[in-house]
Amino acid sequence: MAKKRKHLGEILYKAGLVEKEAIIKAIKTSKTSNKRVGQILVESGLIDEETLTKAIAKQFGLEYIDLDKTNIPSEAADLISEDLVKRHNILPLGKSDGKLKLIISDPADLDTMDAIRFRLNTELECCLASPSKIHSYIQDVYSKVEKEEDDKLKHSIDATAAELTEAGHELQAEVIRAEAAGDSDDGPIVKLVNLIIDNAYHVRASDIHIEPMADRVRIRYRVDGVCLEKDNIPKNMQSRLMTRLKILSGMDIAERRLPQDGRIKRNIAGQDIDFRVSALPGYHGESVVLRILRPDAVNIGIQSLGFESDDYERFQKIIKRPNGIFLVTGPTGSGKTTTLYAALQELNTPDKKIITAEDPVEYNFDGMNQCQIRDEIELTFDKILRAMLRQAPNIILVGEIRDGIVADIAIQAALTGHLVFSTLHTNDAPSAITRLIDMGVKPFLVASSIQAIMAQRLLRVICKNCKVVDENPDPHSLRLLDITPDDLKGKTIHKGAGCTQCQNTGFKGRIAAFEMVELNNEIRELAFVKAPTTELRKAARASGMRTLMEDGKLKIFKGITTPQEVAKLSQAEGVLQK
């Protein structure tokens, strides 16, 4: 008959290690908490783990091994795979008489013992050591080789990243670190996203485009209106990159089928910068665009916009009139909002009340009441405009005239003594009159309410650091702009050679070209009779309007921009209709 195994409590009590009352209490707790008696005694601080292990060894009749005083032969490590050692917290001690001598921590775990016997197809001779000492030994010995390999790889990655950083490829260096980290560490991907955002700010980008492609993720910055490819990120990092951007901008990271919008606020170089974020599902994954909203972008002042002296004087007179509508026209991204903000800042004094209706409100200004359009709750331009008029404003800004309803309310506001600023999408200034009439606004209202219309485009400015004389200007651009050899006599055309300050583009910054028409009696009569745009344009030219092309040509001869820029952005083929 097998000898009956003693209870652990009995062993500890007889050894004088634990009081009888403590053992009885531990047994009761064990029944209700589903914990072993030994575990409860250790957690209560009555015995330590080493004492418990020695008692369990005596209980099961096993040899106790003190790993602090035992040297395990190096060849023993080859008897069991590292995977089994780490998974079951065991250690091989050697093999003799066809049996594997194994150090274990829990002799009651018979299932594990059976699994090891089956896996290794051998009989086991078990001995006991404390779980924490087995774990520490595994970490010290088995992980040593793995750590050495990891250190070598990390050193190699760091060295490569350092070389890339020194060569100016800082973004690519972070890509290498993030790719090496894999899913185990979010730190490198956080640094990579921060670097993408910070670099865009420092190179004066207006937008960051993160575009998944079939085999990579393309990073592009829009600088001075032109997209420049910055770098490519491996395809396997796409998911982590998009997740990080969504977390930063407050989007739903699980939603990948629908477009989403968000915002990021980040302090860069001591400035709080807002980023408007848009995610759009595509064939190869979600494309994310970050619009960088710089506070300094709209604080440049009217004189820095690019006005010639005569247009500047006319602009100042127009915006200081007590009532009427002043329209700024042009395609998306032509600087219309910046021009209007510059005008409002000039007029923003304590004696005037200014209210704006915008979609969205991108920049906040002290002293102005700015209202955000919210279509989801039907807070539209027309509703805000009607409410505005009850607020007794002096000046009103309507972000955009999108339909006849908004146009009618804006005109009524102008006719009742308010100065109204707004934008419209047309190619040139005179066609804005035709556009309003096409929206359904009565011609006599258009003729009587509009004070002036200004069309504008943005031209890239030649980099001052690498500005050189262009000995052979592009003949095609000169022909489009109607610049003849006689026009070039005594004049110099410049270009940018390309340098580090301008990202080798030859351009740094942008300036606007303007086409401004003030409505006089002749133009108002033409509007009243719904005259075509060509007649309105002729009348505007006769009244002294300088076209976009002509304004651009002045900037070419002043060495501000190039013929290619003016030909491209003033839509020369249309402007040539004189």
Side-chain angles (χ1 to χ4, degrees), residues 163-236:
E163 287 175 12
L164 284 167
T165 302
E166 193 174 340
H169 302 296
E170 196 178 356
L171 185 59
Q172 200 59 43
E174 285 302 332
V175 167
I176 287 177
R177 291 191 183 103
E179 194 173 17
D183 295 328
S184 60
D185 186 7
D186 286 335
I189 204 73
V190 170
K191 287 181 183 175
L192 176 61
V193 170
N194 290 346
L195 191 63
I196 290 170
I197 292 172
D198 291 354
N199 279 357
Y201 174 82
H202 290 304
V203 299
R204 304 174 298 101
S206 60
D207 303 271
I208 305 169
H209 297 262
I210 301 170
E211 304 161 319
M213 311 198 78
D215 57 347
R216 67 192 195 281
V217 180
R218 183 171 67 177
I219 308 293
R220 293 195 293 170
Y221 294 162
R222 188 180 294 279
V223 182
D224 297 331
V226 177
C227 280
L228 305 174
E229 188 163 329
K230 181 64 179 174
D231 235 314
N232 290 300
I233 290 178
K235 189 72 175 174
N236 61 4

Side-chain angles (χ1 to χ4, degrees), residues 422-435:
S422 192
T423 67
L424 201 62
H425 288 291
T426 62
N427 285 333
D428 58 10
S431 59
I433 296 171
T434 312
R435 177 87 180 96

Side-chain angles (χ1 to χ4, degrees), residues 327-454:
L327 287 175
V328 181
T329 75
T332 302
S334 59
K336 302 186 297 293
T337 304
T338 301
T339 299
L340 289 177
Y341 277 148
L344 288 183
Q345 283 179 287
E346 181 93 358
L347 301 170
N348 188 16
T349 55
D351 62 321
K352 290 188 176 67
K353 175 154 184 170
I354 301 173
I355 306 181
T356 74
E358 303 171 64
D359 184 21
V361 174
E362 293 186 348
Y363 301 97
N364 295 312
F365 296 96
D366 289 336
M368 296 186 201
N369 299 278
Q370 294 174 272
C371 302
Q372 167 78 52
I373 301 301
R374 295 179 64 188
D375 288 324
E376 68 273 14
I377 58 170
E378 297 184 357
L379 185 62
T380 54
F381 273 119
D382 55 308
K383 282 192 176 180
I384 289 179
L385 265 173
R386 288 190 178 96
M388 273 184 186
L389 297 177
R390 293 193 288 273
Q391 295 272 316
N394 300 102
I395 300 163
I396 293 171
L397 168 66
V398 183
E400 182 186 343
I401 294 179
R402 295 179 179 175
D403 52 48
I405 296 171
V406 175
D408 273 328
I409 301 168
I411 285 171
Q412 291 300 328
L415 293 174
T416 52
H418 303 88
L419 181 60
V420 181
F421 292 94
S422 192
T423 67
L424 201 62
H425 288 291
T426 62
N427 285 333
D428 58 10
S431 59
I433 296 171
T434 312
R435 177 87 180 96
L436 286 171
I437 293 170
D438 287 343
M439 282 182 178
V441 180
K442 293 180 173 59
F444 76 90
L445 291 176
V446 173
S448 57
S449 62
I450 294 178
Q451 296 288 349
I453 305 164
M454 186 170 74

Side-chain angles (χ1 to χ4, degrees), residues 12-80:
L12 292 169
Y13 173 69
K14 283 185 176 180
L17 297 170
V18 185
E19 295 292 331
K20 187 176 182 180
E21 292 77 12
I23 292 171
I24 293 170
K25 185 179 178 183
I27 292 170
K28 288 179 179 178
T29 306
S30 172
K31 290 176 180 177
T32 57
S33 66
N34 201 29
K35 288 182 180 180
R36 294 181 184 179
V37 172
Q39 183 185 352
I40 293 165
L41 292 171
V42 170
E43 288 176 357
S44 303
L46 297 170
I47 57 173
D48 58 25
E49 189 183 64
E50 205 66 24
T51 302
L52 174 63
T53 304
K54 288 176 182 177
I56 293 172
K58 190 172 182 180
Q59 181 188 19
F60 282 85
L62 299 175
E63 180 188 356
Y64 167 75
I65 302 287
D66 186 351
L67 286 173
D68 291 336
K69 300 174 183 177
T70 304
N71 291 320
I72 297 177
S74 57
E75 60 270 16
D78 299 328
L79 296 172
I80 305 182

Side-chain angles (χ1 to χ4, degrees), residues 88-332:
H88 299 297
N89 202 40
I90 57 176
L91 283 171
L93 196 57
K95 197 168 186 179
S96 63
D97 300 328
K99 288 185 178 181
L100 175 65
K101 194 168 185 180
L102 197 65
I103 302 173
I104 63 173
S105 60
D106 185 5
D109 189 359
L110 299 177
D111 289 340
T112 295
M113 296 301 103
D114 288 340
I116 293 169
R117 282 191 192 94
F118 178 78
R119 176 86 177 264
L120 300 176
N121 193 26
T122 186
E123 284 300 311
L124 303 178
E125 182 185 337
C126 295
C127 45
L128 211 61
S130 69
S132 60
K133 283 191 177 181
I134 295 175
H135 180 73
S136 296
Y137 191 91
I138 291 169
Q139 291 299 311
D140 291 343
V141 177
Y142 279 82
S143 299
K144 189 176 180 182
V145 175
E146 187 179 330
K147 187 176 183 301
E148 286 175 358
E149 291 297 321
D150 285 346
D151 287 345
K152 284 180 184 176
L153 180 61
K154 187 176 183 303
H155 179 73
S156 174
I157 290 167
D158 287 344
T160 305
E163 287 175 12
L164 284 167
T165 302
E166 193 174 340
H169 302 296
E170 196 178 356
L171 185 59
Q172 200 59 43
E174 285 302 332
V175 167
I176 287 177
R177 291 191 183 103
E179 194 173 17
D183 295 328
S184 60
D185 186 7
D186 286 335
I189 204 73
V190 170
K191 287 181 183 175
L192 176 61
V193 170
N194 290 346
L195 191 63
I196 290 170
I197 292 172
D198 291 354
N199 279 357
Y201 174 82
H202 290 304
V203 299
R204 304 174 298 101
S206 60
D207 303 271
I208 305 169
H209 297 262
I210 301 170
E211 304 161 319
M213 311 198 78
D215 57 347
R216 67 192 195 281
V217 180
R218 183 171 67 177
I219 308 293
R220 293 195 293 170
Y221 294 162
R222 188 180 294 279
V223 182
D224 297 331
V226 177
C227 280
L228 305 174
E229 188 163 329
K230 181 64 179 174
D231 235 314
N232 290 300
I233 290 178
K235 189 72 175 174
N236 61 4
M237 290 171 59
Q238 177 178 325
S239 176
R240 285 184 292 149
L241 183 68
M242 297 304 174
T243 299
R244 178 61 187 166
L245 287 165
K246 285 183 174 182
I247 289 169
L248 278 176
S249 55
M251 295 181 189
D252 181 359
I253 62 172
E255 181 56 74
R256 298 179 183 177
R257 300 167 301 168
L258 296 172
Q260 293 189 76
D261 293 310
R263 280 184 102 96
I264 297 172
K265 186 180 280 290
R266 184 169 171 77
N267 189 284
I268 304 175
Q271 266 194 320
D272 285 328
I273 310 298
D274 275 328
F275 296 82
R276 201 173 74 216
V277 188
S278 170
L280 179 69
Y283 185 74
H284 295 297
E286 289 171 290
S287 170
V288 176
V289 176
L290 291 84
R291 166 63 60 88
I292 304 174
L293 307 175
R294 301 165 173 268
D296 54 354
V298 289
N299 289 324
I300 59 175
I302 293 175
Q303 283 185 305
S304 303
L305 293 173
F307 283 111
E308 298 299 323
S309 57
D310 55 342
D311 276 346
Y312 175 72
E313 289 175 10
R314 291 167 66 202
F315 183 79
Q316 285 281 12
K317 288 177 183 176
I318 292 165
I319 66 171
K320 287 173 182 174
R321 290 178 183 173
N323 63 339
I325 294 180
F326 180 69
L327 287 175
V328 181
T329 75
T332 302

